[in-house]
Amino acid sequence: MQPYEIIKAKRDGQPLDPGDIRRFLAAYTQGEIPDYQMSALLMAIFFRGLSAAELAAWADAMLRSGEVLDLSETPGVKVDKHSTGGVGDKVSLCLAPLVAACGVPVPMVSGRGLGHTGGTLDKLESIPGFKVGLSTAEYRRLVHEVGCCLIGQTETLAPADKKLYALRDVTATVECIPLIASSIMSKKLAEGIDALVLDVKVGSGAFMKTLPDARTLAKTMMGIGQAMGRRVVALLTDMEQPLGRTVGNALEVIEAQDVLRGRGPADLTECTYALGAEMLVLGKVASGVHEARAMLRRAVEDGAGLAKWRQIIERQGGDPRVVDDESLLPGAKGEAVLEAAAGGHLCTVDTEAVGRAAVELGAGRLRKEDAIDPAVGFTLLKRVGDRVEKGEPLVRIHFNREDKVEPVKARLTASLKLGHVAPEARPLILERLA
Amino acid sequence: MQPYEIIKAKRDGQPLDPGDIRRFLAAYTQGEIPDYQMSALLMAIFFRGLSAAELAAWADAMLRSGEVLDLSETPGVKVDKHSTGGVGDKVSLCLAPLVAACGVPVPMVSGRGLGHTGGTLDKLESIPGFKVGLSTAEYRRLVHEVGCCLIGQTETLAPADKKLYALRDVTATVECIPLIASSIMSKKLAEGIDALVLDVKVGSGAFMKTLPDARTLAKTMMGIGQAMGRRVVALLTDMEQPLGRTVGNALEVIEAQDVLRGRGPADLTECTYALGAEMLVLGKVASGVHEARAMLRRAVEDGAGLAKWRQIIERQGGDPRVVDDESLLPGAKGEAVLEAAAGGHLCTVDTEAVGRAAVELGAGRLRKEDAIDPAVGFTLLKRVGDRVEKGEPLVRIHFNREDKVEPVKARLTASLKLGHVAPEARPLILERLA
């Protein structure tokens, strides 16, 4: 079929042939199909969706648009984790070294923060000297020698996704589950992994605000993984409040190190263990999640996780002394405290608004070109359900620009809702799909 | 709103502000909004439609993208007719001179044939010397002095439509009633008319295959016209078989002249009178269709219509002798006859297929760049319901390329269905909307 006929067939809800999908995407990546035909097809997909067969062909074509890494020289089942993004989500920083310390190789290609969410690459770069822009050869060597490597997307991995994402971003075709799922999965599968754990965030700080939407996204991603012969497990986890206590790049590195020392906040520690246990089972070093959790706990207690983290930092050009001397990480000039205007219980957190407040402070970026300030951010002193007295500190604000303090306080005040009745406790792990 | 937000709002079914629509279309026409954003918006409109208010703003913006002709120097109500296109539809050629002869100025901007349909401009150009590419100044002068001028779309009339149509053509967003309606109406209203009669064709040879679709298109166009203060009447007319007996450019000129002489086929004559009567009433030279029909009949009987036709041809550079000596029109080299393989009644005609057979013979074009052969075409010897004996001639084929005769006969054979029972008679004028 010609490009025109493919657009028309999708528009009219007729099934597309996998071969036609592959040719369309390949021709688009090579510049033979113009953006205006792709954007019409994307909008038709927004309305009509993609069937399982179409989606598998779409994701496969994206995957094959570039290099698919071969990590077969490294023995064992290579397992990665992908989070759909949230506020305060620094799990990758403690999870990757812990899982690698337990003997499962973790090849991890991460992204940058955009909009209200943070990104693993930005957090890593707050460590002086840490390089995320390694070549695929270096990446392959570090996975082999260290058991873990944390890099950013290269030009050669799924270039169709890069081109397509830029187009979706300006044509209002981002919020479309099959396109989101194939974008994520094509990048992840190009890393050379054998299995994948998905952390699909749900709630006010996530892209998926409701459980049914998150479930659909998770199942869609799992379907793509299965069609390509990869084992995929998904956890749907709560993002109705930031994960852990900190939001901001260097602050989050410190908190991840707290988890590796066994003194991290309960929710962040639990999220890390739950995801890590799935990875150890998929990686075939544990026969079940119970055994896997015990292995993770041991790697925390005997310092193996922290040692692996030091090694990762050192081999990726960073200063490993930050692990033991956190004053070597960028620090903010000033601190301010947001106090409770009245007493009560912390009932709800507009987590996306907290993320946007962090962006205003300088911790994130609204456009890809924006620079970020690694030192600034928040320490959240109360969690949903906690009792708060009038005048008690709610949030510590770590700032470099004093003029940002008042607007950020106003944003935070609006996003933290206090009430007389404590809300019902909400579980952290909402659902497991396998 | 920014272009992105406008696309997103339409995608999500939210109402668009008329000002935003105007700015979007103006920026697109000036090249400030890229094709890929417009094609995403067009596809969203395909799925979401346009409300009456949005549509009026859209059509108005298209109209204002170029020159809006001012024919106020010519007294009287200027009235045009627009047909949505069919096979054998040569009504404009006899209608325009007849109505002009009755005292209603007819400024008419027509199109070329594309796909299975013919176009008025191609038919006019089969007259030696006839020029359809006049300047707007010449057009204005001829409307004033002759009472009629038949031209093609200029660069200055609704340029947004030209740009948009080219994009819709390659992004599968042509078949969308609000976009079709605004495309037609913006061009028609740019001509400088006061009122318009729409001939919306329905059936196997029309773009609208069903009465409800045709009704929706007619009402959509009428809504745009009314929003812009123009009076619009629509007739829904039958296109389950070609109009008249001929298909092919010079052949259709001859048949239109037959109508002006009072000896045209019944259906073509009736269609011309029905549309002409509406034009005379809108043009305020007749108080009702009964009186209007009498005026049209008189203009045929006293030769005023034919005289006006001669004058139009002459003033537009053509050879007016073709009116009285039809051998001066291009003639085909050969004639072949398709005979009935069996006896029966002519039950149905796949009229689009007849149009495509005419294209194969050389009478039409599949792409805008294609040349056409003005001499070739068909004379259809039977109408739906007629009794046919085995071996009796069904179609006379006027050809210049002998190698096309057999494939065209095969196409015609497949498109003319004979049966034992005569089908019920179908009216020519299916509905009138005012």
Side-chain angles (χ1 to χ4, degrees), chain B residues 86-89 114-119 123 242 245-249 251-252 350-366 370-380 395-401 404-405 407-412 415:
Chain B
V87 178
D89 181 3
L114 192 60
H116 70 281
T117 65
K123 294 168 197 180
R245 291 156 43 103
T246 61
V247 179
N249 298 286
L251 295 169
E252 294 190 44
D350 180 345
T351 311
E352 180 168 336
V354 172
R356 295 203 184 279
V359 171
E360 173 145 18
L361 200 62
R365 55 171 76 79
L366 281 172
D370 294 346
I372 63 164
D373 182 341
V376 300
F378 309 132
T379 305
L380 303 151
V395 183
R396 188 165 297 130
I397 300 165
H398 311 261
F399 65 89
N400 274 328
R401 285 184 53 182
K404 292 293 184 189
V405 173
V408 159
K409 274 189 177 176
R411 281 177 183 265
L412 290 173
S415 60

Side-chain angles (χ1 to χ4, degrees), chain A residues 23 77 85 159 181 205 216 232 287 299 327 403 406:
Chain A
R23 280 185 291 276
V77 182
T216 304
V232 184
S287 58
S327 73
D403 61 318
E406 286 311 313

Side-chain angles (χ1 to χ4, degrees), chain A residues 12 135 224 287 351 385 415:
Chain A
D12 295 341
S135 70
I224 294 171
S287 58
T351 312
S415 61

